[in-house]
Amino acid sequence: MGITTISFILLSLMAVASSVMMITSKSPVNSILWLIVVFFAISGHYILLNAQFLAIVNIIVYAGAIMVLFLFVVMLMNLNAESEPAKNHRLQFIGVISGGSLLLVLLSAFMTVKNDHPVMLAGGNAGLIKTLGKVLFTDYVLPFEISSVLFLSAMVGAVVIGKKD
Amino acid sequence: MNAILLSGIWGVLMMFSGVFIKSKTTPKYLAILGILILFIANACELDAFNLGVMQFSIDTKEMLNINSFNLSFLAIVFACTLLYFLLSARDVEKVGEHVGEYFALIFFVLCGVSIVATYNTLLLLFLGIEIMSIPLYILTGSDKRNLKSNEASLKYFLMGAFSTGILLMGIAFIYGGNPNGSFFINNIQLGEGPMPAMIAVGLVFMIIALSFKVSAAPFHFWTPDVYDGAPTVFTSFMSTIVKVAGFFAFVRLFENSFGRVQGQWINLIVFITVLTLFIGNITAVFQQSVKRMLAYSSIAQAGFMMLAVFALNDRAREGLLLYSAAYSIATIGIFAVLIKMKDYTIEGFNGLGKTNPLLALCTTIFLLSLTGIPLTAGFQSKFFMLMAAAEVTGKFWLIIVAVIFAAISAYYYFRVIQAMYFKEAIENNIEENEVSTSFKIVLAIAAFLIIAIGIYPEFVVGWMYH
Amino acid sequence: MDIKYYIALSLTLFSIGIVGVLTRRNAIIVFMCVELMLNAVNLLLVAFSNMHAASTAAKALPTFASDAQIFVFFIMIVAAAEVSVGLAIIVMLYRNTHSIDVNFLNRLKN
Amino acid sequence: MNNVLQIVWLIPFLPLVGFLITGLFRNNLSKSLSGFIASATIFGSFALSIFVFLQVKSGNTHVAHYFNLLNIDSLKVGFDFKIDQLSTLFLLIITGVGFLIHVYSTSYMHDEPSKDFAKYFSYLNLFVFSMLLLVMGGNYVIMFFGWEGVGLCSYLLIGYWFKNNDYTNAAKKAFIMNRIGDLGFLLGLFWLISKVGTVSYDEVFSAASLAKLTTTDITGITALFFVGACGKSAQIPLYTWLPDAMAGPTPVSALIHAATMVTAGIYMIARSNILYTMAPATQNVVAIVGLTTAIVAATIAIKQNDIKKVLAYSTVSQLGYMFLGLGVGAYTGAVFHVMTHAFFKALLFLGAGSVIHAMSGEQDMRNMGGLKKYMSITNITFLLGCIAIAGMPPFSGFFSKDEILAAAFSKNPILWGVGVLGAMMTAFYMFRLYAMTFLGKFRGTHEQEHHLHESPKAITFPLIVLAILAVVGGWIGIPEIFLHGGHQLEAFLKPVFAQSNAIAVKHEMSHSTEFLIMGVSVVAALASLLFGLKKFSTYKKEDDVAASGLGKVLENKWYFDELYNTIITQPLKSLSLFFNNIIEKKGIDGLVNGTGKFVNYGSRQLRWLQSGQVGAYVLLMVIGMLLLFIIQLFIKN
Amino acid sequence: MGTFITFPELLLWLPMFAGIFCFFIKSETLAKNIALLSSLLVLGVALTTLCYTDAKYASYNAVNYIWLRNLGSSFYISLDGAGRILTLLTAVSFPIIFIATYKNSYKNAGAFFGLMMLAQCGLMGVFVAKDALVFYFFWELALIPVYFLCSQWGGEKRIQATFKFFVYTFVGSLLMLTGIIYVYLHTSPRLFEDGTQALHSFGLQSFYNATLTAGQQGWLFWLFFIAFAIKMPVFPFHTWQPDAYDQSPTPVTMVLSGIMVKMGLFGVIKWLIPIFPLAVPKFANAVMILSIIGIIYASCIAMVQDNLKKLVAYSSIAHIGLMCAAIFAMNEISLQGIMIQMFSHGINIIGLWIVIEMIEKQTGVKNLSQLGGVAHKAPVLTIMLVIIAFANIALPLTNAFVGEFMMFAGIYKHNIWMAAVAGLSIILAAVYTLNMIQKVFYGNTNSITENITDISLNEKLGLGLIVIMIFAFGVYPQPMIDLAKEAVVSLMVK
């Protein structure tokens, strides 16, 4: 029961708990905040897994940029607990049941696997910015360029949709 | 390669045309020019003119796999897009202000199509699919004043994002289960006997995600609403080109990665195929709006295309090409006529045979093709699919099921034909000035293409063996 | 630390995301649930990459395990793009209907 | 005239020509012309027949093959004519009587408009043509051609006055009942083909092919053929059409329903006598059916008041006698009776026709009487006819009927006894008819009375000729016991029945018995004759009481029509309605349309899956995912 | 000649081009005349082919182009045996139809006659195809024009009736298509003339030689048979037919009942029995019993039909049932009978329709109960009808007798009781036919029928031709038999 194990358990509990809070909390603002907590937990996991770059990017891009954007939109529309539309409890119940059973089915598929896939923790240089950078601009240059098309289209889209006319 | 680059570049070009060219009518000519260039460039890469292969040489690190099969598919796609532009470009202008941007988005979609047609790693599959989808979310919602359009784009977006999550989960598991730790689709080590649990799970996730993209039941629910809500001119595009691209990605992934162990997942495909045929055909029967009926019919046709995934043999590949061509041309043609109508219900077609015989004739040919009547491309494509499926031993009953549903499909396609010829027109549902001579000519050419492919399919299939 | 705990964790998060999508009607929150699903995937990918790094093949190739992390990077890119488009759509919707209830608009059915 | 056999095809051909001319140009032919053409053609073939007869009498028969109807490996059917004693005899009867009746018709039908007049004669010619085909045919198929042809003509002629629905019904009934018989005939034919692979008489009757047939085969074939004969020759149970057939013009009844067509059955059996001789079982059936018919018909005739109906039933009963003759192996007798019957029955019908003509269409005997003093020739000839049919020596009927009865006796006395009973009834009702018509005082209306007159020459001439024949016709068949070699007919027909006689069991009977039975039958007949004459010569309408018991049954013809109606017609009709309304509309078509409705219904229901709510869609998708995972992970294939 | 263009091609392309040409013609009379002319040309060709039946003219009667190389399918059409008779029937029928209905006028006549000619092209194609794929193509192509003809120019309930007909046959042919595919996958490789090779072959001959186990043949038999049974139609697949006949415009009804039903019989003769030799004996009795039930059943319904057209429709079902039964009797005489009867039935029923058409056109009613006494007004018509009607119930000296006689003889050879039961139809046919004659032509005229006029010249011509053929083939059928011999022999050896 090393430190890593304990931190793994703690981070996992944190992630799960706060994501549950995220989907249950009435007000959108709270949900967003809870989601940010989840992201922090996941970043913690990244660090455990020695993927510092992703950990940082996760914080910056997700928690930083995206979530703020969300928050911004929510504020813009000044949504709050009152504006939350009325729930349909039957549908929710069924939803929880089916989602849960999906989880069970999937887990049951893996619990049969025996323990021979250890994960290397706190070691190796795969996650280092240096390595990633080299790989990204050599092997992955094509997807990298292509992703620019993605951004272009997203940009154009945002303009087309968002522009008032 | 040519296709990806040029489509991307031309997308940017169109984007700027939106900024610099004030006239609303000019961009379409630019777009038509672009698609022509795309087609020719692609043909050069396919060496269709026997000038020797001409292409941008970029080291893709094997991330793209370019062969005559992919390229002939792209050729079909670009030809259909050209047809689409010639028929409907004028209607794109009517959607809204940002004509240039619309065309730009269409070209980005084509870029995505080119990627999924040639991808060799799961990463590019993922990127390609996203590049295909994101512009479509926009195009769906491009009619901003129209609440239906808004609703459609929201639904499409949410469910699309959801399916993206599933796709990624699938990729993750496949990666995890692949001892080679690689994303290359032809470098997935399945081992002997039953697949490792992770691969199995990942595979199911992939099937689900791709079924969603090609709107196969039970993951088709977005299709009718989105196709119905989107501006008709874009529905025409996404229900043809994008859908067949999805199928192409589907087939390529499964024959390169999992073809060897087909026996272990074919049941899923059978399940999906039968369900798709059932839901698509049965639900289409009762539709009153032609647009929505076509949406359901596209699901029904998807059921037939699933047979290619089911068979995964030469016949299936040929069938897929034929089906892409036949289905796309016919559907684009019908939509092109539909756009001209004020009233999208079946009654809207009443008496078209009298008021506008040529349009009626062409529409009839398209509908017959979708039904799968001999002498039309639709028959040949269905026929090839059935042949392909028949070669899979022990599942012949699936073919009989398929043809029975094909017979049912006659029911809703012929309702339109009956309306056109055997009912009297209430009021003129189509204003003449809308229907230009050039439009009629192009439509006639499309109809002729349908017949030509129906008589001699080899010249579509032939490319693949070029 | 065995991989299956990571699998369990990310599947759990993934399912929670799905349940969220199923139960919530606020478009933004539904979208956030999707983001949660994506993050579950990211976590899983990174875990897998380290799993492979632990395997023998890694010794031969130092950057062997980087692929997955690059992939995660691209996922984040796409997510960002999606967010921009998605929020644009939601804003447009709100502008027209003053509601972000996914079931508020229900013209398209049957 | 030696080569007359070479041009034998002319005999049927002439009437055909007549038919075509009168038929095609009916609009522009004058009555007299069309009548003349029709009669002339028949006379032509009559003349030819006489020459042919002379040829055949001098012993050279002939089989003419013209072309192949069918020529395939498993069956050859030629268009052949077979001219031998039997067919020649029938030729004479048909053309002779036919000619007379044509002549008669020229006057009888004179009131018809010329178009219909021509039509009538064309039908009549067509009939003669098919009848000739029937008897001249060299194989069963050609016979069947004629067989159906005469059926068709009888249908057309019965329905000649097609405005009247009862008439057309009668025609229909006749055709359909014949059709039932034809089915039997055809099945027999197929049986024959499937066994011996040929249909031509000479080959079928050759020892070789007879050897191929087991007893069952022969019995079956003959039985089926007999069914055909029953239909054509109006035997129980298929006889009811004949009385109704009286709807047709009287000359038609005389020609078709007395003299010629109805004897086709007898001809056919006589033709295939060897088969019947080889099938005793069938022969017994034939005899019994014949006798029963003879009796039943006679009983019915007793109570009929329509003059033509009486004659019709008497025809049925006489036909019964002929079958009895065939049944007991007296083929010559049967054929002999056909001939004599042709004479006197044609005579009687024509006489009746003349009476009806005079009574301006009245057919009910109760309104007649005392016509003796108005129409003498008719009266005399009619009387002669009655005596002939009653079997009084030396009139023709006596010889033929007696020959049959004698043969019956030698086979089984009971048959003879019943036969004599029938003969008595015959004598009775014939003279009842004669008395009610010609004797007593006139009971009709006044305008009828002063309209009464003797018929014109064209009508009386045939009467006279036929009367003479009815008297002397029998003399060609005088039994041995009266005059050695007197039975020229038997001598003449010997070759035809040679095969049968070779194997048939001979029972010689002593002259004394022969005289005895002859005497008995004559005396019995004479007695009933006188009784009938006496009883009805002073008949008044007033003194016939409403019949009861047996009488009523007889008046209603043993309720045969009602019986058929209840056990055949009605059930068939309701069955058909059941098919049409339940199985077709509700059952099969219901199923088909039901499928369509079901698809529509399913479509309407499935639409609700498309609820339009993202939540619901995703839920369904998740459930779908669940299913797929379960299939993949937990269902092993 | 054989090198330039062959007879089967002529038979196909003549009507096709004439048809396409007709579409562009506005003037009704012109379209009419073109249709008539081209149909006469086709008839001329069909008659000429009869002089070149000999084996040494093979090059005139067959043509074979490679079509789908890597599927092993070639455009192979040739004239022989049964096909020859049916092409002749098709060629004879169309001019008669056009002549007899010459006076009818149709709105947008160009399309009407164009579709008619296309239908003829499709029918011809079915009868000459020697390649499964080509056969299937024409099988459908014959259907499509008829579909449009019926739904465009038919009666008031035409759309439903025709669509029912369409879907019915479409399902059948699709099932057949699956069957074709399955057989195809069991055929041996095909080597084309130019040396290229395909894995399997769609050729008729290689279908005959396909390696199929008895079990496979068992269910394939039904896949094919149902398609043909629907086309014929055989009980219980017949319910589309009365409505379709009732609702179609009469010329189309003539094509349907005179020629199209023969497609089913032809299919059985050429594409069913030789391909599944092991299954045929196993199911022959079942099929025969089905057909014989159909005979009695249809005849019974015909007896209680009040609608003239439906009456004829049901009587046609009965006749076809008899033919179907006779095919499966599978002996020389019955098959010969079929060949004759296919032709005769076509001629006769077309004659019947001409008469009915003319009555309906003049009186506007088609119910027996409303008609009567037509014979006074239209004697010629009556005579014609009586002749044709009696031919229809197979009276001797008419063409139908020869065929039915042989078929019954054949069935009898196969099984006595079947023949006996089927024989009942002789009686029932008489019943309903005479009923019809009586109700329509006899009795007194009523308000509806009193101002009916006799037939005009063109109808006289059409009916006259038919009557002549009835008697010609009734008295001297031998030529027809010799024509059919080849086909029969080829079947017998299978």
Side-chain angles (χ1 to χ4, degrees), chain B residues 228-239:
Chain B
D228 193 2
T232 314
V233 60
F234 296 134
T235 310
S236 160
F237 182 71
M238 69 176 112
S239 67

Side-chain angles (χ1 to χ4, degrees), chain D residues 385-406:
Chain D
C386 291
I387 301 169
I389 193 174
M392 291 298 111
F395 287 61
S396 57
F398 165 75
F399 298 101
S400 51
K401 188 186 288 181
D402 183 73
E403 186 172 351
I404 292 171
L405 287 177

Side-chain angles (χ1 to χ4, degrees), chain E residues 389-442:
Chain E
F390 278 104
N392 197 35
I393 61 176
L395 218 63
L397 287 183
T398 65
N399 53 0
F401 171 78
V402 188
E404 288 207 357
F405 181 82
M406 292 163 95
M407 294 194 299
F408 272 119
I411 297 175
Y412 193 96
K413 264 205 183 124
H414 179 80
N415 177 327
I416 298 179
W417 298 111
M418 284 187 184
V421 179
L424 292 177
S425 69
I426 294 182
I427 301 164
L428 300 177
V431 174
Y432 60 72
T433 311
L434 298 187
N435 255 328
M436 178 187 74
I437 296 177
Q438 185 187 18
K439 295 254 180 62
V440 177
F441 293 92
Y442 296 162

Side-chain angles (χ1 to χ4, degrees), chain D residues 377-594:
Chain D
I377 304 174
T378 312
N379 169 36
I380 297 159
T381 49
F382 201 91
L383 180 57
L384 293 173
C386 291
I387 301 169
I389 193 174
M392 291 298 111
F395 287 61
S396 57
F398 165 75
F399 298 101
S400 51
K401 188 186 288 181
D402 183 73
E403 186 172 351
I404 292 171
L405 287 177
F409 183 88
S410 59
K411 182 111 171 185
N412 178 345
I414 300 170
L415 294 175
W416 173 79
V418 183
V420 171
L421 190 63
M424 286 173 64
M425 292 193 235
T426 313
F428 175 75
Y429 65 71
M430 282 318 299
F431 277 85
R432 166 172 177 273
L433 168 64
Y434 176 73
M436 285 178 77
T437 314
F438 291 95
L439 307 183
K441 58 175 61 62
F442 186 70
R443 297 183 292 274
T445 60
H446 284 292
E447 55 274 20
Q448 278 176 329
E449 182 149 20
H450 68 73
H451 176 269
L452 286 170
H453 58 66
E454 180 54 273
S455 308
K457 292 275 169 296
I459 288 185
T460 48
F461 164 71
L463 290 179
I464 297 162
V465 178
L466 284 169
I468 299 163
L469 286 171
V471 177
V472 305
W475 299 352
I476 61 165
I478 302 164
E480 295 291 313
I481 50 171
F482 290 133
L483 154 64
H484 185 61
H487 207 316
Q488 294 138 326
L489 187 66
E490 186 162 19
F492 177 66
L493 289 175
K494 204 165 219 54
V496 182
F497 304 122
Q499 271 176 298
S500 315
N501 299 339
I503 51 173
V505 280
K506 294 263 173 304
H507 6 238
E508 282 307 322
M509 61 175 104
S510 66
H511 286 189
S512 52
T513 41
E514 202 159 334
F515 275 121
L516 182 67
I517 61 175
M518 235 180 261
V520 172
S521 62
V522 172
V523 172
L526 189 59
S528 62
L529 178 160
L530 296 171
F531 173 59
L533 204 52
K534 178 169 169 311
K535 187 169 186 303
F536 287 96
S537 52
T538 61
Y539 168 84
K540 283 189 220 50
K541 272 192 207 160
E542 299 70 43
D543 60 10
D544 63 349
V545 291
S548 62
L550 183 62
K552 191 157 168 49
V553 177
L554 294 182
E555 266 179 7
N556 293 301
K557 309 150 193 165
W558 297 97
Y559 295 103
F560 262 105
D561 292 326
E562 291 74 1
L563 184 68
Y564 289 165
N565 191 28
T566 41
I567 66 168
I568 298 169
T569 321
Q570 286 314 323
L572 186 60
K573 199 163 187 328
S574 40
L575 178 71
S576 312
L577 284 169
F578 171 74
F579 279 160
N580 186 29
N581 301 337
I582 308 302
I583 294 189
E584 182 78 353
K585 296 227 173 69
K586 302 235 177 6
I588 299 171
D589 213 16
L591 198 67
V592 175
N593 299 336

Side-chain angles (χ1 to χ4, degrees), chain D residues 74 168-169 172 179 584 589, chain E residues 164 297 314 332 393 438:
Chain D
S74 51
T168 44
N169 283 334
K172 216 166 70 189
R179 208 69 181 165
E584 182 78 353
D589 213 16
Chain E
K164 188 173 171 187
Y297 176 82
Y314 279 107
E332 192 211 4
I393 61 176
Q438 185 187 18

